[in-house]
Amino acid sequence: MKSFFAALGIGLLATAALAGGDTPANPDARVYFANLADGDTVASPVTVIFGLSGMGVAPAGTEAENTGHHHLLVDRPPMGQGEDGAEELTYALPADDNHRHFGKGQTEVTLDLAPGKHTLQLVMGDYTHVPHSTPIVSEVITIEVK
């Protein structure tokens, strides 16, 4: 349990260092994986359930205070890092196999993932798919698909 809180603290510090778009978010908001943990071994298809506290979920295009919708980053560097890291913090997230959008307000997905290790990270986006002014991101977890 001690390592969980240490990891949570590291994740919060990393989140605080990021700068996002113009839409404010509740500073106490947190997004997390409700049914998966770092190091889990699973079978495909993999159901991923998104957890959120301190904010509400609203479909893309809905401009409402302290709301957003989920994005799932798959097999790519953590939010804000990598080749397009700086751009993705201030512009709408792309929609591709590595950036899954849930603009209808979905809170879970079932993915067909190939056997092997995969990284996952959740990111909240505002009504235009841009991360909030303080991005709400989960820790990056690695799962193994058997």
Side-chain angles (χ1 to χ4, degrees), residues 64-79:
E65 187 175 348
N66 288 323
T67 66
H69 62 278
H70 294 282
H71 297 82
L72 178 63
L73 307 185
V74 180
D75 296 333
R76 49 139 295 138
M79 181 70 182

PDB file of all heavy atoms in Angstrom, residues 64-79:
ATOM      1  N   ALA A  64     -19.132  22.383 -20.354  1.00  0.00           N
ATOM      2  CA  ALA A  64     -19.693  22.498 -19.015  1.00  0.00           C
ATOM      3  C   ALA A  64     -18.547  22.465 -18.008  1.00  0.00           C
ATOM      4  O   ALA A  64     -17.579  21.721 -18.182  1.00  0.00           O
ATOM      5  CB  ALA A  64     -20.673  21.356 -18.744  1.00  0.00           C
ATOM      6  N   GLU A  65     -18.658  23.265 -16.964  1.00  0.00           N
ATOM      7  CA  GLU A  65     -17.611  23.371 -15.958  1.00  0.00           C
ATOM      8  C   GLU A  65     -17.281  22.014 -15.335  1.00  0.00           C
ATOM      9  O   GLU A  65     -18.176  21.219 -15.048  1.00  0.00           O
ATOM     10  CB  GLU A  65     -18.062  24.342 -14.868  1.00  0.00           C
ATOM     11  CG  GLU A  65     -16.998  24.669 -13.855  1.00  0.00           C
ATOM     12  CD  GLU A  65     -17.455  25.725 -12.851  1.00  0.00           C
ATOM     13  OE1 GLU A  65     -18.502  26.370 -13.061  1.00  0.00           O
ATOM     14  OE2 GLU A  65     -16.743  25.890 -11.849  1.00  0.00           O
ATOM     15  N   ASN A  66     -15.990  21.769 -15.144  1.00  0.00           N
ATOM     16  CA  ASN A  66     -15.487  20.543 -14.498  1.00  0.00           C
ATOM     17  C   ASN A  66     -15.976  19.257 -15.150  1.00  0.00           C
ATOM     18  O   ASN A  66     -16.305  18.288 -14.479  1.00  0.00           O
ATOM     19  CB  ASN A  66     -15.808  20.545 -13.003  1.00  0.00           C
ATOM     20  CG  ASN A  66     -14.946  21.532 -12.249  1.00  0.00           C
ATOM     21  OD1 ASN A  66     -13.780  21.711 -12.566  1.00  0.00           O
ATOM     22  ND2 ASN A  66     -15.527  22.194 -11.275  1.00  0.00           N
ATOM     23  N   THR A  67     -16.022  19.273 -16.484  1.00  0.00           N
ATOM     24  CA  THR A  67     -16.345  18.054 -17.222  1.00  0.00           C
ATOM     25  C   THR A  67     -15.316  17.847 -18.327  1.00  0.00           C
ATOM     26  O   THR A  67     -14.570  18.755 -18.689  1.00  0.00           O
ATOM     27  CB  THR A  67     -17.749  18.089 -17.868  1.00  0.00           C
ATOM     28  OG1 THR A  67     -17.774  19.094 -18.874  1.00  0.00           O
ATOM     29  CG2 THR A  67     -18.832  18.319 -16.834  1.00  0.00           C
ATOM     30  N   GLY A  68     -15.333  16.672 -18.864  1.00  0.00           N
ATOM     31  CA  GLY A  68     -14.487  16.325 -19.993  1.00  0.00           C
ATOM     32  C   GLY A  68     -14.839  14.923 -20.434  1.00  0.00           C
ATOM     33  O   GLY A  68     -15.818  14.342 -19.965  1.00  0.00           O
ATOM     34  N   HIS A  69     -14.067  14.391 -21.350  1.00  0.00           N
ATOM     35  CA  HIS A  69     -14.280  13.017 -21.796  1.00  0.00           C
ATOM     36  C   HIS A  69     -12.930  12.314 -21.872  1.00  0.00           C
ATOM     37  O   HIS A  69     -11.882  12.945 -21.917  1.00  0.00           O
ATOM     38  CB  HIS A  69     -15.038  12.967 -23.127  1.00  0.00           C
ATOM     39  CG  HIS A  69     -14.305  13.612 -24.252  1.00  0.00           C
ATOM     40  ND1 HIS A  69     -14.311  14.975 -24.472  1.00  0.00           N
ATOM     41  CD2 HIS A  69     -13.526  13.085 -25.221  1.00  0.00           C
ATOM     42  CE1 HIS A  69     -13.569  15.255 -25.529  1.00  0.00           C
ATOM     43  NE2 HIS A  69     -13.079  14.117 -25.997  1.00  0.00           N
ATOM     44  N   HIS A  70     -12.993  10.999 -21.862  1.00  0.00           N
ATOM     45  CA  HIS A  70     -11.785  10.176 -21.772  1.00  0.00           C
ATOM     46  C   HIS A  70     -11.087  10.001 -23.118  1.00  0.00           C
ATOM     47  O   HIS A  70     -11.719   9.945 -24.165  1.00  0.00           O
ATOM     48  CB  HIS A  70     -12.139   8.787 -21.241  1.00  0.00           C
ATOM     49  CG  HIS A  70     -12.631   8.784 -19.834  1.00  0.00           C
ATOM     50  ND1 HIS A  70     -11.791   8.891 -18.749  1.00  0.00           N
ATOM     51  CD2 HIS A  70     -13.875   8.689 -19.329  1.00  0.00           C
ATOM     52  CE1 HIS A  70     -12.498   8.849 -17.643  1.00  0.00           C
ATOM     53  NE2 HIS A  70     -13.771   8.723 -17.963  1.00  0.00           N
ATOM     54  N   HIS A  71      -9.770   9.872 -23.020  1.00  0.00           N
ATOM     55  CA  HIS A  71      -8.900   9.461 -24.115  1.00  0.00           C
ATOM     56  C   HIS A  71      -7.980   8.392 -23.532  1.00  0.00           C
ATOM     57  O   HIS A  71      -7.532   8.520 -22.392  1.00  0.00           O
ATOM     58  CB  HIS A  71      -8.060  10.622 -24.642  1.00  0.00           C
ATOM     59  CG  HIS A  71      -8.880  11.723 -25.225  1.00  0.00           C
ATOM     60  ND1 HIS A  71      -9.464  12.693 -24.436  1.00  0.00           N
ATOM     61  CD2 HIS A  71      -9.228  11.993 -26.497  1.00  0.00           C
ATOM     62  CE1 HIS A  71     -10.134  13.523 -25.221  1.00  0.00           C
ATOM     63  NE2 HIS A  71     -10.008  13.122 -26.479  1.00  0.00           N
ATOM     64  N   LEU A  72      -7.718   7.367 -24.305  1.00  0.00           N
ATOM     65  CA  LEU A  72      -6.839   6.294 -23.867  1.00  0.00           C
ATOM     66  C   LEU A  72      -5.618   6.264 -24.772  1.00  0.00           C
ATOM     67  O   LEU A  72      -5.752   6.105 -25.989  1.00  0.00           O
ATOM     68  CB  LEU A  72      -7.572   4.945 -23.921  1.00  0.00           C
ATOM     69  CG  LEU A  72      -6.766   3.706 -23.541  1.00  0.00           C
ATOM     70  CD1 LEU A  72      -6.300   3.771 -22.083  1.00  0.00           C
ATOM     71  CD2 LEU A  72      -7.600   2.452 -23.786  1.00  0.00           C
ATOM     72  N   LEU A  73      -4.449   6.454 -24.175  1.00  0.00           N
ATOM     73  CA  LEU A  73      -3.195   6.368 -24.922  1.00  0.00           C
ATOM     74  C   LEU A  73      -2.696   4.938 -24.819  1.00  0.00           C
ATOM     75  O   LEU A  73      -2.592   4.388 -23.718  1.00  0.00           O
ATOM     76  CB  LEU A  73      -2.162   7.333 -24.344  1.00  0.00           C
ATOM     77  CG  LEU A  73      -2.587   8.797 -24.190  1.00  0.00           C
ATOM     78  CD1 LEU A  73      -1.407   9.634 -23.718  1.00  0.00           C
ATOM     79  CD2 LEU A  73      -3.175   9.351 -25.470  1.00  0.00           C
ATOM     80  N   VAL A  74      -2.404   4.339 -25.976  1.00  0.00           N
ATOM     81  CA  VAL A  74      -1.991   2.938 -26.039  1.00  0.00           C
ATOM     82  C   VAL A  74      -0.627   2.846 -26.710  1.00  0.00           C
ATOM     83  O   VAL A  74      -0.449   3.357 -27.828  1.00  0.00           O
ATOM     84  CB  VAL A  74      -3.023   2.092 -26.836  1.00  0.00           C
ATOM     85  CG1 VAL A  74      -2.595   0.631 -26.904  1.00  0.00           C
ATOM     86  CG2 VAL A  74      -4.422   2.230 -26.251  1.00  0.00           C
ATOM     87  N   ASP A  75       0.320   2.212 -26.036  1.00  0.00           N
ATOM     88  CA  ASP A  75       1.641   1.929 -26.618  1.00  0.00           C
ATOM     89  C   ASP A  75       2.309   3.164 -27.201  1.00  0.00           C
ATOM     90  O   ASP A  75       2.726   3.183 -28.360  1.00  0.00           O
ATOM     91  CB  ASP A  75       1.529   0.829 -27.682  1.00  0.00           C
ATOM     92  CG  ASP A  75       1.097  -0.493 -27.097  1.00  0.00           C
ATOM     93  OD1 ASP A  75       1.361  -0.732 -25.902  1.00  0.00           O
ATOM     94  OD2 ASP A  75       0.498  -1.301 -27.829  1.00  0.00           O
ATOM     95  N   ARG A  76       2.433   4.169 -26.371  1.00  0.00           N
ATOM     96  CA  ARG A  76       3.109   5.396 -26.788  1.00  0.00           C
ATOM     97  C   ARG A  76       3.713   6.048 -25.552  1.00  0.00           C
ATOM     98  O   ARG A  76       3.389   5.673 -24.440  1.00  0.00           O
ATOM     99  CB  ARG A  76       2.166   6.335 -27.527  1.00  0.00           C
ATOM    100  CG  ARG A  76       0.855   6.574 -26.833  1.00  0.00           C
ATOM    101  CD  ARG A  76       0.351   7.975 -26.864  1.00  0.00           C
ATOM    102  NE  ARG A  76       1.227   8.855 -26.138  1.00  0.00           N
ATOM    103  CZ  ARG A  76       1.578  10.059 -26.551  1.00  0.00           C
ATOM    104  NH1 ARG A  76       1.107  10.555 -27.650  1.00  0.00           N
ATOM    105  NH2 ARG A  76       2.400  10.809 -25.848  1.00  0.00           N
ATOM    106  N   PRO A  77       4.576   7.039 -25.736  1.00  0.00           N
ATOM    107  CA  PRO A  77       5.179   7.688 -24.567  1.00  0.00           C
ATOM    108  C   PRO A  77       4.100   8.333 -23.682  1.00  0.00           C
ATOM    109  O   PRO A  77       2.998   8.638 -24.150  1.00  0.00           O
ATOM    110  CB  PRO A  77       6.086   8.763 -25.174  1.00  0.00           C
ATOM    111  CG  PRO A  77       6.359   8.298 -26.565  1.00  0.00           C
ATOM    112  CD  PRO A  77       5.105   7.566 -26.995  1.00  0.00           C
ATOM    113  N   PRO A  78       4.421   8.592 -22.420  1.00  0.00           N
ATOM    114  CA  PRO A  78       3.461   9.259 -21.542  1.00  0.00           C
ATOM    115  C   PRO A  78       3.030  10.613 -22.105  1.00  0.00           C
ATOM    116  O   PRO A  78       3.774  11.252 -22.860  1.00  0.00           O
ATOM    117  CB  PRO A  78       4.245   9.443 -20.238  1.00  0.00           C
ATOM    118  CG  PRO A  78       5.297   8.379 -20.276  1.00  0.00           C
ATOM    119  CD  PRO A  78       5.651   8.222 -21.732  1.00  0.00           C
ATOM    120  N   MET A  79       1.845  11.040 -21.715  1.00  0.00           N
ATOM    121  CA  MET A  79       1.290  12.323 -22.165  1.00  0.00           C
ATOM    122  C   MET A  79       2.308  13.436 -21.978  1.00  0.00           C
ATOM    123  O   MET A  79       2.918  13.554 -20.922  1.00  0.00           O
ATOM    124  CB  MET A  79       0.031  12.628 -21.343  1.00  0.00           C
ATOM    125  CG  MET A  79      -0.649  13.900 -21.716  1.00  0.00           C
ATOM    126  SD  MET A  79      -1.394  13.689 -23.328  1.00  0.00           S
ATOM    127  CE  MET A  79      -2.057  15.308 -23.550  1.00  0.00           C
TER     128      MET A  79
END
